């Protein structure tokens, strides 16, 4: 997968893509190509890496070569101000004086394995399934060593990049900016596709064209955030959902980030992604090193749908814990929207028993089980059972849940503390904020200083006590407010700069995750951050399921799950069927539609089953049976986007899961509002159907050829329009239908 020519051209390739970099005349690394696999030889590459001219109006890099400037060069890890006036990836200073860096080539090494290490989230692969190229560069004048790391995998269109900077001098320096890399492209003929929104409307797809200047998204909230997800795609301007070049960029990281595309005067595009340089300053002591989080680059020639599949396969194979790749997720019943804070042992046991009857696997007791927690104003940080609600102890309650035949799970918000907490009274310096100053408060809580290892120790000990006592198998890890007044009294006492706080904070979060999973390897942790405020590859490294959004309305989830599926696998999406009217929108949608949306992910329920009618309970029982039959497609299948709400049709959406062996297609079709003037017969092309096979269609006495599905399309369910009442399959607003297409055993035509 790696070829090296003349010790100056490096070609990383697999069957899908090529990534080519080379040495520029000044010894820095230049970028040549990333895209469909190239078959090239040394003579060809030599021709394409000649630099015999430069653009007008530019500054010479040095007096030694008046035809070379960095201003018009595609680069691998650019530096601002050394004849290139675009923003750079790395900046270092010493005693507040900027250093103008010049990292030149020293050599390289290659590894063929990338081990998984819980200490920090990074991609991984078994021996022989990856090539890792490390290129050593040095700036002798400033006593700095830079290692550029590249990983390409045996399959797929992904290339992973990260960097390590080492201080080889005798005095400390400050890293002011160190992004994780990106991609320089020769044109600007792309749309900038971002996943943006807010609490309860996360990861909506938003598109804007590139133009000369900078287009960016960012988070400086201490988390990847509800507002912006650290995923961006650059889609060819003439591309469609299923055609055209598309590049994806993601970050295996959960803290502050910056993702930006800068277009220069020659319409070259520089995309960079990494830790946000604002509020960041890392003291690099002599002999110390700093490594960036990993940036994931993906490519597809099949539009955003193809890119979605590349992203999903990469996350599943190289980020998500191997234990959970193919292992079914439990169908959970969560107590939150059923009870909120108002419950006792008897009420919960009745709820859990009702869940067992309909087929759930795990009962998850959400917020309100600890301290004096009867509202969101109390007890965070004091993780001991509420004695009034559990007079016989939490251990006995957990055993009662297991006696019902269910596994047991609990909600924690370990990063937060309430003003009345005993923990805060004992350790007032553990709060994120300058001492003795005004501090903002959100959701009636403060943030604990996870940059302080002692804080992490305390939370681990508290959580371990609860886990050991209850023998729980499932944790829902929440995080309900962002960081304000970012200041660590621990860093101040230890003499470290406050610019290290945000990164050290998220490293503390990862440390607690790692310690829990090392102590309890079978523990399933569902990531959550006020809903989807930390839905990223960093959390997915530890949590194979992440709560998609606090908005559980089925119609809103169509938009949220569509955007999420552009970057992440279905199996990572925690989707719950909840009660109506919906608690976030007060909208009432059919039970079938709520399930048909939640089906495309990891399923759960969040409603008071003890108050539902026998008909509803029977329907839920059948839903869970159906889901468990189809869950292998969620875990290992391929997701296909067929029609989105943003493609000119704002009323219908269709997506599908395809079995790994192509034996089955599960199609979800959704119509937001009834359309009395719709087509009598609406068809949807299934471009991935096998033209040489026949498919049986669930619920219909019909077998059709794959060729017909591909070109004539699948007949969608008849919608009620007045005259067709006898045959109408869908009526009213908020319609949905799941159709299962199964290949006939003898599929030869």
């Amino acid at each position: 997968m790696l070829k090296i020519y003349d010790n100056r051209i490096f070609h990383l390739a697999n069957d899908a893509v090529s990534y080519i970099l080379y040495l520029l005349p000044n010894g820095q690394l230049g970028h040549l190509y990333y895209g469909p696999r190239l078959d090239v030889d040394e003579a060809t590459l030599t021709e394409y890496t000649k630099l015999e001219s430069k653009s007008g109006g530019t500054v010479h890099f040095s007096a030694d070569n008046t035809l070379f400037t960095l201003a018009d060069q595609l680069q691998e890890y650019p530096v601002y101000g050394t004849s290139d006036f675009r923003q750079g990836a790395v900046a270092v200073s010493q005693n507040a004086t900027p250093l103008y860096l010049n990292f030149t080539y020293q050599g390289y090494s290659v590894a063929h394995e990338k081990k998984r290490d819980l200490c920090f989230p990074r991609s991984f692969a078994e021996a022989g399934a990856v090539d890792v190229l490390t290129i050593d560069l040095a700036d002798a004048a400033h006593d700095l060593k830079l290692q550029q790391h590249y990983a390409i995998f045996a399959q797929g269109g992904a290339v992973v990049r990260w960097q390590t900077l080492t201080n080889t001098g005798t005095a400390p320096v400050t890293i002011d900016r160190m992004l994780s890399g990106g991609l320089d492209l020769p044109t600007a003929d792309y749309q900038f596709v971002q996943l943006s929104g807010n609490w309860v409307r996360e990861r909506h797809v938003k598109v804007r064209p590139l133009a000369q200047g900078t287009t960016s998204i960012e988070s400086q909230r201490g988390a990847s955030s509800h507002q912006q997800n650290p995923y961006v795609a650059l889609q060819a301007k003439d591309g469609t959902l299923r055609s055209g070049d598309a590049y994806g960029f993601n970050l295996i990281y959960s803290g502050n980030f910056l993702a930006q595309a800068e277009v220069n005067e020659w319409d070259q595009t520089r995309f960079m992604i990494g830790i946000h340089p604002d509020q960041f300053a890392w003291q690099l002591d002599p002999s110390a090193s700093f490594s960036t989080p990993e940036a994931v680059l993906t490519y597809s020639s099949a539009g955003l749908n193809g890119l979605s599949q590349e992203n999903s396969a990469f996350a599943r194979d190289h980020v998500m814990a191997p234990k959970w790749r193919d292992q079914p997720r439990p169908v959970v019943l969560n107590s939150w929207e059923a009870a909120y804070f108002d419950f006792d042992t008897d009420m919960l046991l009745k709820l859990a028993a009702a869940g067992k009857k309909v087929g759930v696997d795990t009962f998850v007791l959400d917020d309100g089980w600890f301290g004096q927690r009867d509202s969101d104003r109390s007890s965070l940080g004091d993780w001991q059972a509420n004695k009034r609600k559990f007079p016989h102890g939490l251990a006995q309650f957990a055993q009662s849940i297991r006696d019902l035949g269910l596994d047991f799970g609990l909600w924690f918000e370990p990063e937060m503390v309430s003003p009345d907490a005993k923990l805060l009274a004992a350790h007032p310096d553990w709060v994120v904020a300058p001492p003795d100053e005004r501090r903002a408060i959100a959701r009636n809580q403060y943030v604990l200083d996870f940059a302080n290892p002692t804080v992490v120790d305390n939370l681990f000990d508290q959580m371990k006590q609860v886990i050991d006592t209850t023998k729980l198998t499932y944790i829902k890890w929440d995080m309900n407010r962002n960081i304000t007044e970012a200041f660590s009294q621990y860093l101040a006492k230890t003499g470290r700069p406050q610019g290290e706080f945000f990164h050290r904070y998220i490293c503390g979060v990862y440390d607690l995750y790692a310690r829990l999973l090392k102590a309890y390897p079978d523990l399933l942790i569902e990531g959550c951050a006020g809903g989807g405020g930390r839905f990223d590859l960093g959390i997915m490294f530890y949590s194979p399921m992440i709560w998609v959004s606090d908005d559980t309305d089925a119609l809103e989830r169509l938009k949220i799950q569509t955007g999420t599926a552009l970057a992440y696998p279905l199996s990572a999406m925690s989707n719950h069927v909840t009660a109506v009217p919906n608690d976030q929108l007060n909208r009432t949608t059919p039970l079938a539609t709520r399930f048909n949306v939640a089906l495309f992910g990891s399923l759960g329920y969040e409603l008071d089953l003890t108050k539902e009618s026998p008909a509803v309970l029977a329907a839920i029982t059948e839903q869970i049976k159906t889901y468990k039959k189809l869950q292998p497609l969620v875990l290992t299948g391929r997701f296909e986007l067929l029609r989105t709400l943003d493609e000119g049709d704002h009323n219908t959406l269709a997506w599908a899961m395809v079995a790994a062996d192509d034996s089955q297609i599960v199609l979800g079709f959704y119509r937001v509002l009834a359309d009395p003037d719709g087509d009598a017969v609406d068809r949807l092309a299934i471009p991935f159907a096998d033209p040489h096979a026949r498919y049986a269609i669930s619920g219909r006495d019909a077998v059709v050829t794959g060729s017909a599905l591909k070109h004539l399309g699948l007949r969608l369910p008849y919608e009620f329009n007045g005259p067709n009442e006898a045959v109408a399959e869908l009526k009213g607003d908020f319609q949905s239908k799941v159709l299962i297409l199964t290949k006939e055993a003898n599929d030869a035509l």
Side-chain angles (χ1 to χ4, degrees), residues 93-111:
S93 61
Q94 192 166 45
N95 300 321
T97 300
L99 307 181
Y100 289 98
L101 306 173
N102 182 28
F103 291 108
T104 59
Y105 178 74
Q106 305 296 307
Y108 73 91
S109 60
V110 180

Side-chain angles (χ1 to χ4, degrees), residues 651-652 671 673-682 719-721 724:
N651 200 42
T652 63
R671 182 179 284 113
L673 298 177
D675 182 6
D677 195 32
D679 294 338
V681 178
D682 188 8
E719 181 184 18
F720 174 73
N721 62 9
N724 70 346

Side-chain angles (χ1 to χ4, degrees), residues 41 55 190 239 370 564 608 725 730 734 738 740 746:
D41 54 22
S55 301
Y190 298 99
F370 54 94
T564 306
D608 190 348
E725 184 171 6
L730 298 177
F734 319 137
V738 169
I740 301 173
N746 181 9

Side-chain angles (χ1 to χ4, degrees), residues 586-644:
N586 202 38
R587 178 157 53 199
T588 298
T589 55
L591 177 63
T593 294
R594 283 174 271 155
F595 171 72
N596 290 343
V597 175
L599 167 65
F600 288 79
S602 292
L603 179 67
Y605 286 80
E606 198 165 319
L607 67 173
D608 190 348
L609 295 173
T610 67
K611 296 179 180 178
E612 298 293 344
S613 68
V616 168
L617 295 175
I620 290 174
T621 301
E622 291 305 309
Q623 288 176 351
I624 292 174
K625 289 178 181 177
T626 297
Y627 178 78
K628 289 183 176 180
K629 290 178 183 177
L630 298 177
Q631 194 180 35
L633 279 76
V634 175
L635 296 171
T636 66
R638 186 177 77 249
F639 182 66
E640 297 276 357
L641 284 163
L642 290 163
R643 185 184 290 179
T644 74

Side-chain angles (χ1 to χ4, degrees), residues 434-561:
D436 305 320
E437 290 188 19
R438 179 210 56 83
R439 60 186 65 166
I441 190 167
R443 202 176 180 263
N444 306 298
Q445 60 197 51
Y446 299 117
V447 184
L448 287 170
D449 183 5
F450 266 51
N452 182 346
T454 305
V455 174
V456 179
D457 290 343
N458 179 281
L459 269 297
F460 174 75
D461 290 342
Q462 288 199 64
M463 294 176 75
K464 186 177 187 301
Q465 177 67 29
V466 176
I467 296 169
D468 290 341
T469 300
T470 63
K471 299 181 175 59
L472 62 80
T473 60
Y474 190 109
I475 284 176
K476 179 181 176 183
W477 179 320
D478 212 340
M479 190 278 289
N480 277 300
R481 67 153 291 184
N482 293 133
I483 294 172
T484 56
E485 293 86 34
F487 185 91
S488 166
Q489 295 184 54
Y490 165 78
L491 292 180
K493 291 175 183 176
T494 56
R496 301 300 299 184
Q498 292 296 321
E500 296 183 1
F501 167 72
F502 278 113
H503 184 63
R504 288 189 181 275
Y505 176 92
I506 203 63
C507 287
V509 172
Y510 294 151
D511 181 42
L512 183 54
Y513 260 110
R515 292 171 68 174
L516 288 169
L517 291 173
K518 287 176 182 177
Y520 308 98
D522 295 327
L523 180 65
L524 175 57
I525 304 178
E526 176 189 7
C528 179
R534 229 165 34 188
F535 202 116
D536 55 66
L537 293 177
I539 295 299
M540 194 177 299
F541 180 83
Y542 302 102
S543 289
M545 293 167 52
I546 304 175
W547 185 227
V548 173
S549 174
D550 277 350
D551 192 337
T552 57
D553 175 73
L555 273 296
E556 284 300 307
R557 277 295 187 108
L558 288 176
K559 301 172 187 175
I560 296 169
Q561 290 174 214

Side-chain angles (χ1 to χ4, degrees), residues 66-119:
T66 60
L67 289 178
F68 175 69
T69 179
L70 290 171
D72 57 7
Q73 293 303 307
L74 307 184
Q75 299 169 58
E76 285 296 310
Y77 205 60
V79 175
Y80 162 78
T82 57
S83 75
D84 186 352
F85 297 100
R86 292 169 288 181
Q87 293 190 34
V90 59
V92 178
S93 61
Q94 192 166 45
N95 300 321
T97 300
L99 307 181
Y100 289 98
L101 306 173
N102 182 28
F103 291 108
T104 59
Y105 178 74
Q106 305 296 307
Y108 73 91
S109 60
V110 180
H112 305 287
E113 183 178 18
K114 202 167 184 293
K115 293 183 178 180
R116 180 177 170 86
D117 184 347
L118 285 173
C119 292

Side-chain angles (χ1 to χ4, degrees), residues 81-264:
T82 57
S83 75
D84 186 352
F85 297 100
R86 292 169 288 181
Q87 293 190 34
V90 59
V92 178
S93 61
Q94 192 166 45
N95 300 321
T97 300
L99 307 181
Y100 289 98
L101 306 173
N102 182 28
F103 291 108
T104 59
Y105 178 74
Q106 305 296 307
Y108 73 91
S109 60
V110 180
H112 305 287
E113 183 178 18
K114 202 167 184 293
K115 293 183 178 180
R116 180 177 170 86
D117 184 347
L118 285 173
C119 292
F120 193 86
R122 296 190 181 278
S123 61
F124 59 89
E126 296 178 355
V130 63
D131 277 349
V132 180
L133 170 66
T134 297
I135 297 182
D136 295 324
L137 304 108
D139 185 331
H142 300 112
D143 295 318
L144 293 171
K145 175 184 176 182
L146 176 69
Q147 291 181 301
Q148 287 269 69
H149 309 283
Y150 301 82
I152 189 168
F153 303 86
Q155 296 180 335
V159 173
V160 173
R161 296 192 53 191
W162 73 104
Q163 298 75 32
T164 302
L165 186 66
T166 302
N167 183 353
T168 59
T170 58
V173 298
T174 299
I175 304 174
D176 300 303
R177 179 185 184 97
M178 195 170 177
L179 302 180
S180 296
L183 185 66
D184 279 9
L185 293 164
T187 74
D189 296 329
Y190 298 99
Q191 303 267 25
F192 189 97
V193 182
Q194 63 195 68
L195 306 178
S196 303
N198 199 355
W199 176 71
V200 301
R201 55 181 178 88
E202 298 88 346
R203 292 175 303 285
H204 284 212
V205 180
K206 299 187 178 182
V207 181
R208 44 183 164 155
L210 294 184
Q212 186 172 344
T214 301
T215 304
S216 67
I217 59 170
E218 64 181 12
S219 173
Q220 297 193 67
R221 297 168 179 265
S224 49
S225 84
H226 300 271
Q227 289 72 19
Q228 304 288 3
N229 190 266
Y231 176 79
V232 170
L234 295 183
Q235 179 186 23
K237 285 183 178 178
D238 59 355
T240 69
L241 185 63
R242 304 183 64 87
S243 68
D245 288 345
Y247 293 93
F249 306 89
N250 210 334
L251 200 60
I252 308 180
Y253 192 63
S254 312
N256 290 354
F257 76 91
L258 173 68
Q260 67 177 42
E262 182 179 2
V263 177
N264 68 7

